[in-house]
Amino acid sequence: MRHLSPTVPPRNGLSPARGLTLIELMIGLAITATLALAAAPYFGDYIANSRLREAGHALFSQTLLAQSEALKRNGLVRVEVTGSDVSLRDISGGGSGTLIRQVALPASVAASADASFVFASDGRLQPMAPVAVQLVLSGTACSAERRCPGLRVDAGGAIRLCGDFSSACP
């Protein structure tokens, strides 16, 4: 029995074909397009939840910064959440205070209602009453698919970011 090694050319003198045929390429593109169309509705929810999560983390970090600035300055620092802006102001000197920092939340994300709260020099809220701020995406309602985060600040100064404001935040 005779064995052919891979280096022996084929009998007809032609080398074996390599690559893809046009039909194979078109079938692959059709499968890819079908999968992309099936996944498209979920991309919208993913992008919306990413924006909400990013806004929640921005609000959380600005609130932590306000608390640490109140401790560092040994004074009063107010956090103002108006629409899609978060402002920190040193109000120890009275009046409207000195702007420490202002941050815009991601596009089309805003607080459901304007909120303002003050950290005292000991890191606690003044007056000692808990605060809750919910973030929403404009034009859509919060649901199981759209998880709107919420910020909770306890009277004692504990700050929590809830992944879904509609559920209980521990």
Side-chain angles (χ1 to χ4, degrees):
M1 181 171 186
R2 185 174 159 199
H3 294 285
L4 295 176
S5 67
T7 58
V8 175
R11 291 185 187 172
N12 61 5
L14 299 175
S15 62
R18 295 180 184 227
L20 297 174
T21 65
L22 182 60
I23 292 174
E24 291 170 334
L25 184 62
M26 291 183 68
I27 289 172
L29 286 174
I31 291 171
T32 303
T34 304
L35 291 174
L37 286 174
Y42 299 104
F43 286 135
D45 287 339
Y46 175 76
I47 290 171
N49 285 329
S50 294
R51 282 191 185 150
L52 286 165
R53 193 170 36 253
E54 179 185 351
H57 287 295
L59 179 59
F60 180 73
S61 66
Q62 294 308 306
T63 305
L64 284 174
L65 178 64
Q67 186 180 41
S68 68
E69 285 291 325
L71 292 167
K72 181 176 84 173
R73 295 169 185 249
N74 197 25
L76 301 174
V77 175
R78 181 174 57 224
V79 178
E80 297 170 346
V81 183
T82 53
S84 62
D85 288 330
V86 181
S87 302
L88 310 180
R89 295 187 176 275
D90 183 352
I91 58 170
S92 299
S96 63
T98 306
L99 182 65
I100 299 171
R101 175 182 260 183
Q102 184 170 4
V103 174
L105 297 175
S108 67
V109 177
S112 61
D114 291 349
S116 177
F117 49 95
V118 176
F119 284 105
S121 60
D122 59 358
R124 296 180 186 179
L125 287 179
Q126 183 184 2
M128 291 189 68
V131 175
V133 179
Q134 180 183 7
L135 297 175
V136 293
L137 191 65
S138 61
T140 61
C142 298
S143 65
E145 290 80 28
R146 294 275 160 82
R147 295 176 296 277
C148 299
L151 180 80
R152 311 269 195 191
V153 184
D154 293 336
I159 304 168
R160 295 185 309 264
L161 181 63
C162 303
D164 185 3
F165 193 82
S166 61
S167 64
C169 186

